Structures are given as C-alpha cells and as structure tokens.
Amino acid sequence: MKKLFYIFIFFSVFGFSQSKDQNTFSASLIDSTQLQAKTIFGVDNFKTLYYSTDNNSFHKKTKDTTITYSNFQLGEITSANTFNPLKMNLFYKDFNTVVILDNRLAEISKIDFNLTQPYRNVSFVSMGYHNTLWLFNQDYNYLELYDYKAQKTKLKTVPIPSNVLDLKSDYNYCYLLTERFLYVYNYFGSLIHKLPNLNYERLAFSEAHLVLKSKDKLYILKKNDNSIYPLEQPNLLIKQFLVTNETLYLYHENVLRHYQLKIN
C-alpha cells in the first residue's frame, strides 16, 4: 500500500506541474520589427512598444511617435510593468524606488521605500489592482500587496523559503517564481497553485497565458489551469521574451519577432 501511495503522489505532482502528453503549443512567425533597445518591457494590443535604452531612458513607441521618460538620478531601470498604460510602474532597485507614470510618461507618484515606515528592502515589484503594488520584501522574504496612496500594506504572505527569480502580475493574479516553486496568488493574497519549478528561470505574462523560460525552451501555463505545456519552437533564439494575449514576442540582435501562439 505504501508503494502504491508514493507512486500515486509522484505522478500526481509531475502531471500537475508539467504536462507532456496532452496539449502542446506551437509558434508561427507572423511579423518582425527592427528596434534598438536595452530591455523591452511590454507590447500592448495596439503594438505600442515600451522599452529602455543604454542611457537608462524609458520609451513609449507608437506607429507615429516616440515619447521618453528619463530619471538619471535613479540609475538603471530594473523592471517595468506596462499592463495598465495609465499607471505604469518603473522599479529602480539600486535606489529602492518605484516611479508611477501615466500614458504620457508624466510622473504620477514616486515611492521611495527607504523613507516608508516601516522601511522596506524591495527586490521585485509588479502591479496590483487600483493603487497597489506587489512587492517582495527581501529582508523578511514575503510578498506583500502595498497601497502606495494610503502608504500601508493591505496583505502579506507567509515567508517564502527559497530565492526569488521573477515576479509578474495583473489585476487578478500574481505569479512568484522561486528556485523551488512557482506560486500563484489571487488578488486576495490566497495561494491557489504551487507548482514545482522544473528549471524555469524567468516569466512573461499577459491576460491569457503565463510563459516560462527554461534554458532555450519555453513553456505555457494557461490561465485558470494547473498544467504547464511545452511550446514547440523550431530554432527560436531567446534573449528576451514577452507575451500579449495570443502573440509571443522574442527579441534578439535588434529584431523583435512576433509569433502567433496556437494550441495543438
């Protein structure tokens, strides 16, 4: 009985974490764009590009115009979340600071966590609903939902016993990737999924799918699903990757390639 029990547990965990025998996704090249960027942070449904350049400026490029935000005092942009174009957040890890921008890249808010009470040593930032941000508190190893208008924590998780690799979110879900597990939280801060990390390194997220990178391979976790599906990708070069709904973007050597995702 014990042997049968452990066999059942093994296959349940493996099937829960990464499905290989059910659906797969494929990616078909549909377009490409020439772009000189240091880091690409987002592409919206209207093909607007959000990216940084070597001088640490943040750019919003549409078909007709490009506008720029620069804050040289804060140094390099560590991450940027562009899911809500009316409240984009730029995180400057070296200065423990987040800047909130509107759709014209004008500053709405500036949150210096060195000055908040209590002090927060933040290593990852992503957006939440309304005026909130998901923060990973490096000193206490927990994730918290912080209301930057009210300057208070709305909720926090139990401590995470593993190094954090990446953090992505939208209004409803927050995905925290650690060396051991992928944690999926809802906007109440309740843990709804905990999947083993099978060598995943980074995340990309849109309203439809979460994309995970493992070396030179990509995998997809569909929304409201608990199985991770492989992406069939013939010789794709993956330096940076993004996803917007059913479109996968790969950036390599100044070319942003657009791929249509399709479930097989």
Side-chain angles (χ1 to χ4, degrees):
M1 288 296 293
K2 285 186 177 181
K3 288 184 178 179
L4 289 175
F5 174 76
Y6 288 122
I7 290 172
F8 173 78
I9 291 296
F10 173 80
F11 281 104
S12 296
V13 171
F14 187 79
F16 182 73
S17 60
Q18 182 170 304
S19 174
K20 292 186 177 181
D21 298 324
Q22 299 177 16
N23 297 321
T24 60
F25 282 78
S26 60
S28 302
L29 181 64
I30 55 176
D31 201 359
S32 62
T33 305
Q34 293 286 332
L35 181 69
Q36 290 189 344
K38 182 178 183 180
T39 304
I40 299 181
F41 296 112
V43 184
D44 67 18
N45 292 324
F46 303 101
K47 304 295 178 65
T48 303
L49 300 173
Y50 302 90
Y51 61 96
S52 66
T53 48
D54 287 333
N55 62 358
N56 295 321
S57 294
F58 180 77
H59 305 274
K60 175 183 177 181
K61 180 180 176 63
T62 65
K63 181 180 179 181
D64 302 315
T65 61
T66 300
I67 56 177
T68 300
Y69 170 83
S70 299
N71 194 322
F72 301 116
Q73 293 180 332
L74 295 177
E76 184 175 354
I77 303 169
T78 306
S79 65
N81 188 293
T82 62
F83 176 79
N84 181 353
L86 301 178
K87 289 183 180 180
M88 296 175 283
N89 61 73
L90 276 57
F91 177 44
Y92 298 84
K93 183 178 179 181
D94 290 345
F95 285 83
N96 207 25
T97 297
V98 171
V99 174
I100 311 293
L101 304 178
D102 66 13
N103 63 335
R104 300 300 302 168
L105 303 192
E107 283 191 17
I108 299 174
S109 300
K110 181 179 177 182
I111 307 103
D112 185 345
F113 294 109
N114 300 301
L115 303 177
T116 59
Q117 295 296 327
Y119 164 81
R120 293 171 174 82
N121 183 15
V122 177
S123 56
F124 290 88
V125 174
S126 194
M127 65 161 297
Y129 60 87
H130 298 310
N131 298 314
T132 62
L133 298 169
W134 287 101
L135 314 175
F136 189 78
N137 191 314
Q138 188 169 302
D139 288 340
Y140 295 98
N141 292 328
Y142 57 64
L143 188 65
E144 61 178 292
L145 187 65
Y146 179 72
D147 187 326
Y148 59 87
K149 287 290 188 182
Q151 299 183 14
K152 66 178 183 180
T153 297
K154 298 180 73 71
L155 60 89
K156 58 186 177 183
T157 67
V158 298
I160 307 297
S162 181
N163 290 331
V164 174
L165 303 178
D166 208 349
L167 174 68
K168 295 289 185 292
S169 64
D170 65 2
Y171 297 136
N172 298 311
Y173 297 96
C174 179
Y175 298 86
L176 182 70
L177 180 67
T178 74
E179 290 180 343
R180 295 179 60 194
F181 295 101
L182 170 65
Y183 297 88
V184 184
Y185 300 92
N186 63 19
Y187 67 96
F188 292 115
S190 299
L191 180 65
I192 55 177
H193 295 308
K194 181 181 177 182
L195 310 180
N197 182 351
L198 303 181
N199 298 315
Y200 306 126
E201 304 158 3
R202 289 188 58 202
L203 306 174
F205 178 54
S206 78
E207 294 181 79
H209 305 302
L210 178 78
V211 179
L212 303 101
K213 178 179 180 293
S214 176
K215 296 182 180 178
D216 58 347
K217 300 292 183 182
L218 296 177
Y219 300 86
I220 294 180
L221 173 66
K222 295 190 295 183
K223 182 171 276 192
N224 300 321
D225 200 344
N226 57 14
S227 294
I228 296 175
Y229 304 95
L231 176 64
E232 297 176 351
Q233 51 188 79
N235 302 319
L236 298 185
L237 298 174
I238 308 170
K239 181 181 178 182
Q240 296 179 39
F241 66 105
L242 304 161
V243 61
T244 303
N245 294 325
E246 304 298 329
T247 305
L248 174 70
Y249 296 91
L250 301 182
Y251 184 64
H252 185 78
E253 293 184 348
N254 296 332
V255 178
L256 181 66
R257 293 178 173 85
H258 313 189
Y259 294 85
Q260 181 70 41
L261 291 175
K262 183 177 71 172
I263 191 168
N264 300 322

